[in-house]
Amino acid sequence: MSHVFAVTSAKGGVGKTTAALALSHGLARKLEQAGSKESVLLVDLDPQGHCAPCLGLQPERCAGELLLGHAHPEEIIIRADRSRQSGPSRPNLYLLPATGHLAIARMQLLADIVAEALLAGVGRLSPGQPSYLVKRLQDLFADLRQVFAFVVVDYPSPLDLFWEAVYHGVDGCIVPVKADYLSAKSAIEHWTRPADQKVEALVPTFVRARQVLSEQTLQELTRHFGSKRLSRPIPASVRVAEAPAAGGQTIFEYAPNSAPARAYWNLVERVYDSKV
Ligand SMILES: Nc1ncnc2c1ncn2[C@@H]1O[C@H](COP(=O)(O)OP(=O)(O)O)[C@@H](O)[C@H]1O
Ligand SMILES: [Mg+2]
């Protein structure tokens, strides 16, 4: 049984990519520790393509080619293992990378949805309507489910029609929320809609101990979502920001005993234990 998660949020700069990297690498390590031969795939659906450099990788091809049907997954997916180049060993972690090409692919796909709706005489596009893009993503995720035990999608804001199609295809969402007023407000406005049954966990990020605003934000999030849906807060820490800059390491490689590594590991175990 395979599981597909999106790490996403309506706001930028809240720690989505950081959480997607930690979650995918942590799940890969959990499988390894359990003696499993199964693998994890990190899918970068942000045209900024930051997952690759954060893992020390330099891809040439892009997830956009897959979405447009111009390539097969095995042509684009790369290994995150760098042990042969004297880098970190990640035997069961893989990346479907993004490059700037993804921005063009996204525009093309959204144009196709609008054209499809016009041809069908649909006056107004509704979220999750059966469309070419929903079908394409469902087919893609179905192919990936055959190969990987976990698929973790790094999905950027804005949460537009493209997101609606991705949302349709994933099993659950992990939502990082920065511990400040506007990030919490945006999370509360966006993720308490009736449609959001898929929220697996909200992850408070950039949390500062003994800072009044951080504490107030955590209380506000707990009040709205309940303590069960909140995962352990990730502290603000320069170690998190240093890890990708240190030759593309994850937090578990760069500072395995740090407070943020322990907090991310807690998220990994929560997701792993609920699914395996
Ligand atoms: N807990 C943290 N403490 C300090 N810096 C962090 C933390 N989480 C993320 N960062 C840094 O903040 C920036 C934005 O994080 P990122 O994961 O790229 O956000 P997003 O993907 O939501 O835009 C990055 O430079 C990242 O290294
Ligand atoms: Mg990002």
Side-chain angles (χ1 to χ4, degrees), residues 153-222:
V153 180
D154 179 14
Y155 193 88
S157 52
L159 301 184
D160 52 12
L161 269 179
F162 190 79
W163 163 247
E164 298 290 351
V166 173
Y167 182 88
H168 222 69
V170 301
D171 303 318
C173 302
I174 310 288
V175 183
V177 186
K178 198 171 173 182
D180 66 31
Y181 173 70
L182 287 179
S183 301
K185 186 173 183 309
S186 152
I188 287 162
E189 282 168 5
H190 190 86
W191 297 101
T192 41
R193 297 180 316 178
D196 295 325
Q197 308 300 331
K198 287 191 182 178
V199 177
E200 196 86 17
L202 289 111
V203 187
T205 55
F206 293 86
V207 176
R208 294 175 197 278
R210 294 179 296 280
Q211 191 201 62
V212 174
L213 180 61
S214 267
E215 276 170 24
Q216 281 175 347
T217 311
L218 284 181
Q219 281 167 10
E220 188 69 358
L221 290 173
T222 311

Side-chain angles (χ1 to χ4, degrees), residues 11-19 154 206 234-238 240-241 244 264:
K11 269 191 94 65
V14 297
K16 292 182 295 293
T17 298
T18 305
D154 179 14
F206 293 86
I234 312 290
S237 161
V238 71
V240 179
Y264 276 121

Side-chain angles (χ1 to χ4, degrees), residues 4-23:
V4 183
F5 297 103
V7 179
T8 192
S9 141
K11 269 191 94 65
V14 297
K16 292 182 295 293
T17 298
T18 305
L21 287 158
L23 185 61

Side-chain angles (χ1 to χ4, degrees), residues 113-127:
I113 300 180
V114 174
E116 181 188 302
L118 289 174
L119 279 174
V122 178
R124 187 175 169 279
L125 291 167
S126 59

Side-chain angles (χ1 to χ4, degrees), residues 21 50-59 80 82 85 88 90 244 247-249:
L21 287 158
H50 283 168
C51 290
C54 287
L55 291 166
L57 306 171
Q58 291 162 332
R82 286 166 48 219
Q85 299 86 43
R90 305 157 181 153
Q249 297 185 57

Side-chain angles (χ1 to χ4, degrees), residues 18 235-246 249-261 264:
T18 305
S237 161
V238 71
R239 309 292 274 162
V240 179
E242 284 169 353
Q249 297 185 57
T250 73
I251 190 68
F252 302 126
E253 291 157 348
Y254 180 69
N257 299 316
S258 62
Y264 276 121

